[in-house]
Amino acid sequence: MNIESSERNNLINLELNFMPITSLLKRDILKSSTYSRQSKKLLFTTFNCAKSQLIPLEVMQKMHNDDLIMALTGLAGGILNNGSTCGVVIGGAVSSAMIRDKELSGQWMLEDEIQLLDEIRAYVSWFENRFNTSLCRERKELNYQRITVLGLLNPQKVKGCVARAGESMEYFVKKFDSTKKIQNESPCHNPQTAEHCAQKILKEIRKETEIGNEKLERISAALDGGIGLSGGGCGALSGALMALGLRYALDPKNTEPDKLRNIYKAMDSEFFTMAKILVKNFIKEFEYFECSRITGKKFKDWDEFSEFRNNASCDALNKFLVEKTIEIINIKE
């Protein structure tokens, strides 16, 4: 059964039922509520909090990106269930970049990327103010190591995830309903020279393995500096996991719901086996998951991040991730 396509069709049908309402305000309230409910429901059908943000926003923007859905598989539960940045936050950040990429027709300028990162940092700040933290491990009521099997958790514990998914979706529905479409009429004469965390990893892995694509790399700019320069989950590690997810994660469209749930429960699919090896080696080498803890810095703006991004410690981390990910892929292939 095509789980995610079915979710999209259900959402579209709900929207059509609301169309006769003449009051714009009332229609917007209903629209926000519809996407929020859909996001909550997706927690129990995809077993992935990051996808709970991405899929409804794809529907809202009349988009479809299966590659991105697959790539987010390992970013739930604070990066492969390790309690770092909440998958809801990562899904929201990546969705913002996806929508911007559509509006820019893929023709990014550096100023577009900086604006995106500023908007994502504002979103992370909102999330932290609303829920006290953006890290799974700091939630006392949640066993974050079982975050991807939400359907198997105690309802009293999972309600926090449901609330976060729903309210985050309302945040984005309001944002993208009220934001003017980006107008990028200036031709992109100069190639980008900026370094981006996940983007660099994805490009180098694609060069060696042919896994990935340019669209995914553009969108991954959202993960810079620990998600919108907020110091959270390491963007480079997230990029490596995105590459593995794109190639090896289970496709919910071709996997029965019961089988999918059991695989997430045991975390023993091909993808999870490979991803756990990568994460285990990353922990051994760098100890931490968060950008701010790895670098010892919280970046105040793009200039400070960009200056630091080119230093030897980041280069070493990138080299490690690219080599280890390719090594894991080669063993499988």
Side-chain angles (χ1 to χ4, degrees), residues 105-136:
S105 301
Q107 299 299 308
W108 291 75
M109 302 289 283
L110 179 58
E111 51 265 36
D112 299 316
E113 295 171 343
I114 295 173
Q115 182 182 352
L116 170 70
L117 292 170
D118 287 343
E119 291 172 359
I120 292 173
R121 176 139 68 174
Y123 161 62
V124 176
S125 294
W126 166 83
F127 192 95
E128 291 175 341
N129 289 334
R130 176 65 185 87
F131 299 109
N132 299 318
T133 181
S134 60
L135 301 180
C136 286

Side-chain angles (χ1 to χ4, degrees), residues 19 38 69 121 157 160 189 199 239 244-245 254 321 323 333:
M19 290 304 290
Q38 189 69 3
I69 292 172
R121 176 139 68 174
K157 294 183 178 181
H189 293 303
Q199 187 181 90
L244 289 178
N254 300 313
L321 280 169
E323 290 180 352
E333 297 296 317

Side-chain angles (χ1 to χ4, degrees), residues 32-50:
S32 176
S33 176
T34 299
Y35 287 109
S36 177
R37 288 197 304 272
Q38 189 69 3
S39 179
K40 295 174 184 177
K41 186 176 180 180
L42 281 163
L43 290 172
F44 300 94
T45 55
T46 65
F47 311 105
N48 189 292
C49 40

